[in-house]
Structure formats: structure tokens, C-alpha cells
């Protein structure tokens, strides 16, 4: 492949991912003024990785972690955002996102497509230090926004703490500190304020093991 063809493919990909700015998530901005979009979500977590790296359970390759966070929701250009508590949507999420990953990342030159697909699969697998930390950030960023917006999304959807805890099982696998010192107190505060339904006690929750 000559340089011009390679560059054309790379720029086509860069134009394609602009569509991520139009995929809106369920989470509100901290101000509660509107929902955030996927590109904002990815940017926010990439910066969080830089700031919070010291709290990862293991040493992580920061660039690799940031790249995972920046690319993992690109698939939602085709697959759409699947709400964390949408039982029916979650049944087909992996299939829809795998198909989207194959189309979108293969816009790139073959070597870069292979790398992006491998990183996407690594994030989804959650088996490496970088994937575990990235997934922890992907879990705490939405609850941080919910807390800042007075639990707006939780209250609108009538979310129960048992549902929120189901997602937070992955947080401690990437960062025990962020689970114990941030997520758990934040969730308890929102139970106390009536922003999320306290159907079980946080003390009953078994923290995930490494």
C-alpha cells in the first residue's frame, strides 16, 4: 500500500469516528443540563486515567489504557448505546458491537485495524491490568456524573442499588482504592439522599476478588 492510500484510509477512519459525537448516553453531564455523548465520555475517562493511574491495583501501560478508553465505545456508532440496566439490550450487545468493530476498525490500514481490534477485544475481556483499570474507570465515571447531577438518571429510571452494584463488581478488580474510597461512599450517599433505591445494604455486598 502506498503512502497516499494509507493516509486516505486513516483520514476516512478519522471522519467516520466523528459520528461518535452524535451517540448520546443515558448519563447526564455534572450540571444535569443534557446527556453526555460517547466522545465526551471517552475523553473524560482518558484524562481520568492520567490523573488516577496511581490507584490502579497493578502497574499499567498508560498509553495502552488511554487508547482502550478512547476506542471502546466507537462501536456504538453502529451498535448504539446500550443502557447498563437494559436487560433485553444486553442480550444482543456483544454481537452488535462485534459486528460494528469489524466494520469500523477495518476502515483503517490492515496493521492498524488489527491493533485496534485486539485492543477492543482486550478491553472487553478484562483479563489484563490495563483492561481491568480501564473498565474500573468506565464504571466509576457514570456514577460520578450521577452523583454530581443529584442522581438525575437514577431517579428518572428508578434504579436500585442492587443494579448499580452489579456493575461495580468490576471496579475493585481494577482499583480497590477507587472502589473503597470513592464508589462505595458515593453510592451510600445517594442511598441516604433517596437518589437511588436502597433495596440491599452495601455492607451485604461482597467485594470482588482478584
Amino acid at each position: 500500500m502506498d503512502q497516499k492510500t494509507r493516509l486516505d484510509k486513516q483520514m476516512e477512519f478519522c471522519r467516520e469516528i466523528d459520528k461518535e459525537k452524535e451517540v448520546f448516553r443515558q448519563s447526564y453531564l455534572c450540571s444535569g443540563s443534557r446527556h453526555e455523548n460517547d466522545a465526551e465520555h471517552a475523553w473524560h475517562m482518558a484524562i481520568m486515567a492520567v490523573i488516577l493511574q496511581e490507584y490502579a491495583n497493578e502497574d499499567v501501560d498508560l498509553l495502552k489504557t488511554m487508547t482502550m478508553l478512547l476506542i471502546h465505545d466507537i462501536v456504538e456508532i453502529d451498535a448504539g448505546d446500550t443502557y447498563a440496566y437494559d436487560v433485553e439490550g444486553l442480550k444482543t450487545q456483544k454481537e452488535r458491537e462485534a459486528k460494528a468493530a469489524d466494520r469500523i476498525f477495518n476502515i483503517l490500514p490492515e496493521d492498524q485495524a488489527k491493533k485496534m481490534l485486539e485492543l477492543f477485544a482486550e478491553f472487553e475481556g478484562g483479563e489484563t491490568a490495563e483492561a481491568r483499570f480501564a473498565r474500573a474507570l468506565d464504571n466509576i465515571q457514570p456514577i460520578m456524573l450521577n452523583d454530581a447531577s443529584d442522581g438525575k438518571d437514577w431517579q428518572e429510571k428508578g434504579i436500585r442499588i442492587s443494579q448499580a452494584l452489579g456493575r461495580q463488581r468490576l471496579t475493585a478488580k481494577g482499583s480497590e482504592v477507587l472502589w473503597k474510597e470513592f464508589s462505595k461512599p458515593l453510592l451510600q450517599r445517594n442511598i441516604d439522599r433517596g437518589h437511588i433505591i436502597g433495596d440491599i445494604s452495601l455492607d451485604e455486598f461482597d467485594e470482588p476478588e482478584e
Side-chain angles (χ1 to χ4, degrees), residues 148-166:
S149 60
D150 293 326
K152 190 170 181 178
D153 177 56
W154 286 330
Q155 293 191 72
E156 288 179 353
K157 306 286 197 313
I159 298 302
R160 304 181 303 278
I161 191 62
S162 57
Q163 293 173 286
L165 288 174

Side-chain angles (χ1 to χ4, degrees), residues 101-169:
D102 186 62
R103 183 192 76 79
I104 297 168
F105 292 126
N106 275 304
I107 293 171
L108 286 163
E110 185 176 353
D111 61 316
Q112 290 184 318
K114 182 175 183 292
K115 180 178 179 180
M116 293 296 104
L117 286 164
E118 287 174 350
L119 283 173
F120 176 75
E122 183 176 335
F123 174 88
E124 290 296 306
E127 297 297 329
T128 63
E130 290 79 14
R132 284 190 287 268
F133 186 54
R135 287 164 70 92
L137 295 176
D138 194 33
N139 287 331
I140 69 171
Q141 190 262 2
I143 67 169
M144 178 183 72
L145 298 186
N146 248 310
D147 177 63
S149 60
D150 293 326
K152 190 170 181 178
D153 177 56
W154 286 330
Q155 293 191 72
E156 288 179 353
K157 306 286 197 313
I159 298 302
R160 304 181 303 278
I161 191 62
S162 57
Q163 293 173 286
L165 288 174
R167 281 184 61 81
Q168 292 304 312
R169 288 189 182 280

Side-chain angles (χ1 to χ4, degrees), residues 6-7 16 29 31 37 41 44 60 65 71 84 91 103 105-106 109 112 116-117 121 128 131 146 160-161 165 199:
R6 181 177 177 84
L7 178 58
E16 181 68 17
L29 303 181
S31 67
N37 66 48
H41 174 64
H44 205 170
V60 295
T65 304
I71 71 164
K91 291 178 182 178
R103 183 192 76 79
F105 292 126
N106 275 304
Q112 290 184 318
M116 293 296 104
L117 286 164
T128 63
N146 248 310
R160 304 181 303 278
I161 191 62
L165 288 174
D199 59 334

Side-chain angles (χ1 to χ4, degrees), residues 6-189:
R6 181 177 177 84
L7 178 58
D8 285 346
K9 285 179 172 290
Q10 291 166 328
M11 295 310 298
E12 181 184 354
F13 176 80
C14 291
R15 285 190 294 272
E16 181 68 17
I17 64 172
D18 183 70
K19 295 175 183 176
E20 191 178 11
K21 300 171 186 175
E22 300 181 70
V23 180
F24 283 87
R25 297 168 50 81
Q26 297 296 319
S27 301
Y28 285 93
L29 303 181
C30 285
S31 67
S33 61
R34 65 168 174 83
H35 293 281
E36 70 168 349
N37 66 48
D38 268 358
E40 292 166 334
H41 174 64
W43 158 84
H44 205 170
M45 289 187 301
I47 294 181
M48 288 172 68
V50 175
I51 303 302
L52 302 174
Q53 179 186 5
E54 64 195 88
Y55 303 115
N57 288 342
E58 309 160 83
D59 289 337
V60 295
D61 179 327
L62 183 58
L63 178 59
K64 185 178 183 182
T65 304
M66 291 174 67
T67 305
M68 285 182 185
L69 290 168
L70 289 168
I71 71 164
H72 81 282
D73 278 340
I74 285 175
V75 295
E76 293 185 358
I77 290 170
D78 288 359
D81 175 56
T82 303
Y83 187 44
Y85 311 119
D86 177 1
V87 176
E88 289 304 311
L90 291 170
K91 291 178 182 178
T92 62
Q93 181 182 15
K94 288 190 179 299
E95 180 182 352
R96 287 183 285 111
E97 292 188 350
K99 182 178 179 181
D102 186 62
R103 183 192 76 79
I104 297 168
F105 292 126
N106 275 304
I107 293 171
L108 286 163
E110 185 176 353
D111 61 316
Q112 290 184 318
K114 182 175 183 292
K115 180 178 179 180
M116 293 296 104
L117 286 164
E118 287 174 350
L119 283 173
F120 176 75
E122 183 176 335
F123 174 88
E124 290 296 306
E127 297 297 329
T128 63
E130 290 79 14
R132 284 190 287 268
F133 186 54
R135 287 164 70 92
L137 295 176
D138 194 33
N139 287 331
I140 69 171
Q141 190 262 2
I143 67 169
M144 178 183 72
L145 298 186
N146 248 310
D147 177 63
S149 60
D150 293 326
K152 190 170 181 178
D153 177 56
W154 286 330
Q155 293 191 72
E156 288 179 353
K157 306 286 197 313
I159 298 302
R160 304 181 303 278
I161 191 62
S162 57
Q163 293 173 286
L165 288 174
R167 281 184 61 81
Q168 292 304 312
R169 288 189 182 280
L170 295 176
T171 302
K173 289 185 176 181
S175 173
E176 291 182 5
V177 172
L178 291 178
W179 163 247
K180 293 177 181 177
E181 303 298 332
F182 180 78
S183 296
K184 193 172 182 180
L186 179 152
L187 291 169
Q188 185 61 60
R189 180 167 66 246

